Amino acid sequence: MATWHRLGDRAELSQRVPFAVKLERWSVAVFLYDGRFRAIGNTCNHKGGPLSEGRLHGEFVMCPWHAWEYSVITGKGPEGYDEEQVPVFAVEERDDGVYVQTPPTMPRKLIKHMPSHLLAEHAKPAGAPPRVLAISTTAMDDVNPRYSTSDALLEHTLDQAKRRGADTQHIKLRDLKFRHCEGNYSKAAHACTWPCAITERDPEDQLTAVYEGLVHWADVVIIGTPIRWGNASSLYYKMIERLNCVQNQVTIRNTVLIKNKVAAFIITGGQDNIQAVAGSMFTFWAELGFVFPPFPFIAHSRGWDAEDMQNNVRQVKMSDTLREASYELLDRALDFWTIIDQHKAELDRPMERAGRKANTLPEPEEAEEEVIA
């Protein structure tokens, strides 16, 4: 049964648009376009973004979360995407005000998209060897390469992993072309999605290799970074900003994507600040769900006044102690993972939420939908 709802008089509403209003069980976005009031569903088909907070480009409103567009007249997407549609509501201007009718005159239509492979299960075959992923975060000019102390020690850990019979992968962030985090979380927690919205809409973004390695492939992860002005490298921070989509799943869905995985760190540099860099790294990787072996990092620094970097390089190249430390770091991490793997049943019990970061958030409101297969 159709019901008309008075929203207010024209002058009042002209000052408010665009805005959202809850009418029965529908969330309705109201716009003023070409001198007429228009009403469509407020919930974006993609991830539930609030269309009333978007910007109008002609007749199309752009979702503020991930830039999907819908006509405020037809509810459909632009040409080529017009099989998608948000609900459209009839609007009447009467002598006593502006009215919107429910239910919608045109229902929501949603194309059933192929889910990202990052959402699929990636079961490890029974009896498969442990998997060690090394991530290098140092920048490099490939045409004129230099010696990297953090990379050198990372290579030693990979050598030891191979001697231990582990499968290995080595990701060098400098070889990947990936976009900076574009601040979706700063728009709304639900706007930061898994998989990352950037990965979803940009097939050329290459951070997928990191997502696959951390979430689905690795048992042990070793991250190497140089110290740059008292902090980890800029590439390290570029990566972990994009990993917010992994940590954010704990907050918005109570879903822990990383379980029973071990992380350890290699930190080197010409300046001292090792404890602060390590502490920051521990906090972040623990929030993703990683656990740490005893003595979970090795480091090397010659201090604030040691600006003779060629001597720093020579020292690392010649140091049997640092090479052995790399081997032992890998051994500790791999042995710790073996213990965890033997007790997976106990560790996989549900985790109580109290004391964990942030609060759970309700899902965005969903409208009625017609799904197109």
Side-chain angles (χ1 to χ4, degrees):
M1 177 178 175
T3 304
W4 287 94
H5 307 264
R6 184 180 183 278
L7 301 185
D9 61 44
R10 180 180 179 86
E12 172 201 350
L13 299 183
S14 297
Q15 298 298 315
R16 292 175 57 197
V17 288
F19 65 89
V21 61
K22 187 71 178 289
L23 301 177
E24 298 174 347
R25 55 194 175 84
W26 287 277
S27 180
V28 180
V30 180
F31 301 88
L32 184 60
Y33 171 69
D34 200 21
R36 294 180 58 186
F37 288 100
R38 308 285 183 172
I40 61 174
N42 189 44
T43 305
C44 178
N45 281 354
H46 178 223
K47 296 293 182 181
L51 297 181
S52 61
E53 298 177 18
R55 289 176 292 169
L56 274 177
H57 300 273
E59 71 178 80
F60 292 93
V61 60
M62 178 183 290
C63 178
W65 285 7
H66 307 117
W68 284 40
E69 293 184 314
Y70 304 92
S71 167
V72 298
I73 301 172
T74 67
K76 295 182 178 182
E79 184 178 356
Y81 302 90
D82 49 4
E83 287 183 294
E84 291 267 5
Q85 184 177 34
V86 294
V88 179
F89 298 84
V91 181
E92 285 188 3
E93 289 196 49
R94 304 175 185 173
D95 292 341
D96 65 336
V98 179
Y99 287 75
V100 171
Q101 183 190 67
T102 58
T105 55
M106 294 295 292
R108 182 188 191 207
K109 293 182 180 179
L110 177 64
I111 295 176
K112 192 173 183 179
H113 298 277
M114 182 71 69
S116 167
H117 72 282
L118 289 172
L119 292 171
E121 292 292 327
H122 293 63
K124 183 180 177 182
R131 297 167 169 179
V132 176
L133 171 64
I135 300 179
S136 164
T137 72
T138 191
M140 189 76 70
D141 176 357
D142 289 333
V143 177
N144 301 290
R146 60 178 174 78
Y147 184 86
S148 166
T149 54
S150 60
D151 270 8
L153 299 183
L154 204 57
E155 291 280 2
H156 292 326
T157 65
L158 285 172
D159 291 342
Q160 182 69 354
K162 293 170 185 175
R163 283 191 287 270
R164 292 280 302 265
D167 286 340
T168 62
Q169 284 189 35
H170 190 183
I171 294 178
K172 299 176 182 178
L173 293 185
R174 60 183 177 270
D175 293 339
L176 305 182
K177 291 181 172 60
F178 61 99
R179 283 157 59 174
H180 289 275
C181 176
E182 293 166 4
N184 286 324
Y185 183 83
S186 299
K187 302 172 185 177
H190 282 291
C192 183
T193 63
W194 171 256
C196 174
I198 295 171
T199 302
E200 278 192 316
R201 66 177 180 261
D202 185 358
E204 295 184 0
D205 186 84
Q206 295 179 340
L207 203 67
T208 305
V210 174
Y211 292 139
E212 289 175 338
L214 294 177
V215 174
H216 295 300
W217 189 80
D219 300 312
V220 172
V221 179
I222 312 291
I223 302 103
T225 182
I227 294 177
R228 298 284 184 246
W229 286 101
N231 291 289
S233 73
S234 59
L235 275 180
Y236 170 80
Y237 283 107
K238 184 180 178 184
M239 172 184 69
I240 69 169
E241 286 180 6
R242 288 283 302 275
L243 292 178
N244 189 77
C245 64
V246 176
Q247 192 277 330
N248 195 41
Q249 289 298 297
V250 180
T251 302
I252 67 173
R253 298 191 185 279
N254 205 27
T255 298
V256 181
L257 296 175
I258 292 178
K259 297 179 179 179
N260 306 326
K261 295 174 182 279
V262 174
F265 310 123
I266 293 171
I267 304 165
T268 66
Q271 295 178 335
D272 199 9
N273 204 33
I274 289 166
Q275 289 90 340
V277 173
S280 175
M281 294 175 76
F282 285 137
T283 299
F284 181 80
W285 294 89
E287 286 293 335
L288 292 187
F290 283 93
V291 293
F292 308 100
F295 308 105
F297 73 94
I298 61 170
H300 169 75
S301 172
R302 295 181 61 236
W304 176 257
D305 62 349
E307 291 294 332
D308 51 342
M309 291 306 297
Q310 67 275 17
N311 289 328
N312 188 52
V313 167
R314 178 180 57 81
Q315 192 173 57
V316 173
K317 281 183 175 180
M318 296 178 62
S319 175
D320 293 335
T321 300
L322 285 172
R323 183 171 56 254
E324 289 296 326
S326 302
Y327 300 159
E328 292 169 6
L329 179 69
L330 185 281
D331 287 339
R332 290 194 298 275
L334 203 51
D335 291 346
F336 190 55
W337 174 81
T338 301
I339 295 169
I340 290 171
D341 192 53
Q342 293 168 350
H343 295 271
K344 281 183 66 175
E346 300 104 296
L347 293 170
D348 282 340
R349 289 180 298 184
M351 184 188 304
E352 296 299 327
R353 182 162 187 89
R356 286 158 59 193
K357 181 178 182 288
N359 299 308
T360 53
L361 298 174
E363 294 294 324
E365 293 184 29
E366 296 290 342
E368 281 190 331
E369 64 185 56
E370 175 185 333
V371 177
I372 303 174

